[in-house]
Amino acid sequence: MTLGAVGGVLALANVAPEACVRIQHLLRQGDIEAARALQIRMLPVNTAVTATYGVPGLKAALDMLGYFGGDPRRRFCRPAKRNVPRSRRS
């Protein structure tokens, strides 16, 4: 956003909407350092719901948060039980 973007499609916003909105507010207020610090703190969560666990992990995270993530499409499968506690810590 500091380079001119006006928004984005964020998988992270599904599981951490408050943090994503906070980053946007901080940028609008001109507090780039605080926005940057929060974005850096959210990077491991973003990586977990995108690159590490993908769509199945995102759906599992939504279920853990009390939302409806549901089952992934047939092509995907739910994360292995051994990975769920790890994804929850992210």
Side-chain angles (χ1 to χ4, degrees):
M1 294 179 89
T2 60
L3 298 176
V6 294
V9 178
L10 311 174
L12 179 62
N14 289 288
V15 295
E18 297 87 4
C20 295
V21 170
R22 180 78 180 135
I23 291 168
Q24 182 184 23
H25 285 284
L26 289 167
L27 286 170
R28 284 188 177 171
Q29 293 170 357
D31 195 346
I32 294 170
E33 286 306 313
R36 180 180 177 280
L38 179 53
Q39 184 171 351
I40 288 170
R41 282 200 329 262
M42 297 307 297
L43 284 175
V45 180
N46 185 67
T47 299
V49 298
T50 57
T52 304
Y53 299 107
V55 172
L58 177 58
K59 288 178 167 281
L62 289 169
D63 286 340
M64 283 187 262
L65 292 170
Y67 299 110
F68 178 73
D71 291 325
R73 289 182 281 154
R74 258 167 77 166
R75 178 180 128 179
F76 297 109
C77 60
R78 292 191 73 71
K81 293 266 189 225
R82 68 181 182 275
N83 289 331
V84 172
R86 179 175 173 210
S87 65
R88 189 170 185 144
R89 288 192 306 245
S90 298

